[in-house]
């Protein structure tokens, strides 16, 4: 079978499983990168792909200077694609079965916006009457949602009775909880926003806000405050780290952030620097005044 045809069928199968469009697009993009590489080697059929070719492709990714996280993402998609090809009986054996993801060193400490900077961004957005930016920042900070999930929010998905909102993102549908303060911000924003679409967050043209547009709006605020780390993912890390610092366990943080596997949560947040360790000792010590 032609590689391009197999990739097309694979993406359709992901769609049939209800995977988010962003996930499908990422898979397709990574597989097309592999396809382009293999075609340059004269390989067009998936039956012709062997483990040595896969190794050569992964090796070339490192030689191009790609980060270990990018390479790990490629490996994950390639393994899943060829495993699916075997299940569909397009192949007898997967040429990528031997691949293993590189050991990743996740440290949220290096990727997290400080609480002080996050508060400053919200305050500046409020004082500047940037209601969209203020509301988006508050929703990120209160729900810990992914940027893609926020961009996909619809007004009809909000339940103000139970203070929750249904989103569909990287890991499928899930319900996000928010507090009464966020409910107030959301109600005020909904009155203000363009009502020509059902999308919750819209741009100046009245279309659904994109991840890049949110990033650029945050960038303008951060630049005025000389804040270096301000992207949506850094706020998501702040939520996870903030919850743990205040005593929440890993399972609660996993549920809050929508991780499918608690090991992902542990990889990001198990790293503790000395200052946080000392603060925890003071807070949780069982040695009381005698």
């Amino acid at each position: 079978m032609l590689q391009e045809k197999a990739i097309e069928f694979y993406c359709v199968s992901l769609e049939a499983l209800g995977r988010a469009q962003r996930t499908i697009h990422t898979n397709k993009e990574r597989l097309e990168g592999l396809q382009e590489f293999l075609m340059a080697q004269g390989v067009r059929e998936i039956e012709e792909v062997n483990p040595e070719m896969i190794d050569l492709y992964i090796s070339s990714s490192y030689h191009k200077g790609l980060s270990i996280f990018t390479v790990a993402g490629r490996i994950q998609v390639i393994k899943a694609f060829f495993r699916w090809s075997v299940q569909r009986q397009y192949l007898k054996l997967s040429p990528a079965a031997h691949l293993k993801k590189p050991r990743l060193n996740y440290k949220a400490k290096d990727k997290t916006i400080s609480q002080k900077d996050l508060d400053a961004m919200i305050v500046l957005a409020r004082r500047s009457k940037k209601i969209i930016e203020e509301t988006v920042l508050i929703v990120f900070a209160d729900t810990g949602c992914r940027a893609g999930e926020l961009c996909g929010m619809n007004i009809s998905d909000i339940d103000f009775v139970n203070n929750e909102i249904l989103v569909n993102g990287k890991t499928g549908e899930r319900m996000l909880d928010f507090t009464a303060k966020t409910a107030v911000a959301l109600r005020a924003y909904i009155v203000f926003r363009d009502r020509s679409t059902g999308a919750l967050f819209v741009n100046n043209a009245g279309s659904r806000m994109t991840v890049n547009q949110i990033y650029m709006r945050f960038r303008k605020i951060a630049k005025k405050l000389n804040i270096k780390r301000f992207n949506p993912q850094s706020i998501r890390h702040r939520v996870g780290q903030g919850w743990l610092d205040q005593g929440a366990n890993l399972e609660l943080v996993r549920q809050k952030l929508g991780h499918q596997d608690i090991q992902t949560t542990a990889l990001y947040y198990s790293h503790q620097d000395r200052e946080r360790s000392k603060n925890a000792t003071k807070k949780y010590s069982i040695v009381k005044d005698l």
Side-chain angles (χ1 to χ4, degrees), residues 22 130-137 139-140 146-155 168 189 192-194 196-221 232:
R22 186 178 179 187
K130 296 182 179 295
I131 189 168
I132 297 177
E133 287 84 342
E134 179 188 353
T135 309
V136 170
L137 282 164
V139 170
F140 271 133
R146 299 177 176 88
E149 291 173 333
L150 183 134
C151 291
M153 290 178 179
N154 297 311
I155 292 180
N168 192 347
Y189 166 71
F192 163 82
R193 64 173 285 287
D194 187 321
S196 62
T197 175
L200 176 58
F201 293 107
V202 294
N203 55 33
N204 295 334
S207 303
R208 187 181 294 276
M209 192 86 73
T210 67
V211 173
N212 186 59
Q213 287 170 345
I214 289 174
Y215 175 85
M216 295 307 294
R217 286 172 181 259
F218 283 7
R219 184 182 180 184
K220 289 180 181 179
I221 295 174

Side-chain angles (χ1 to χ4, degrees), residues 105-132:
N105 184 21
Y106 292 94
K107 290 186 179 180
K109 172 192 173 185
D110 302 325
K111 303 176 181 180
T112 305
I113 186 174
S114 71
Q115 187 64 49
K116 178 182 177 182
D117 286 348
L118 175 58
D119 292 343
M121 287 182 68
I122 294 174
V123 169
L124 180 58
R126 181 177 301 145
R127 289 176 177 173
S128 304
K129 301 189 183 302
K130 296 182 179 295
I131 189 168
I132 297 177

Side-chain angles (χ1 to χ4, degrees), residues 109 245 271-282:
K109 172 192 173 185
D245 286 346
H271 173 76
Q272 310 294 323
D273 57 36
R274 292 293 298 147
E275 182 180 356
R276 295 180 65 246
S277 180
K278 286 182 176 295
N279 289 337
T281 298
K282 295 176 183 177

Side-chain angles (χ1 to χ4, degrees), residues 17 20 25 62 67 75 77 109 122 147 159 162 164 175-176 186-187 199-200 206 230 235 242 244 260 265 287:
L17 290 172
H25 176 75
Y62 284 117
S67 75
I75 291 175
V77 169
K109 172 192 173 185
I122 294 174
D159 179 352
N162 297 303
E164 58 188 25
M175 198 69 77
L176 302 178
L186 279 169
R187 287 182 184 277
L200 176 58
F230 56 84
I235 301 175
L244 283 175
Q260 290 186 322
T265 316
V287 178

Side-chain angles (χ1 to χ4, degrees), residues 160-175:
F160 282 112
V161 175
N162 297 303
N163 281 356
E164 58 188 25
I165 181 168
L166 179 68
V167 297
N168 192 347
K170 182 179 179 180
T171 55
E173 286 191 348
R174 68 189 186 103
M175 198 69 77

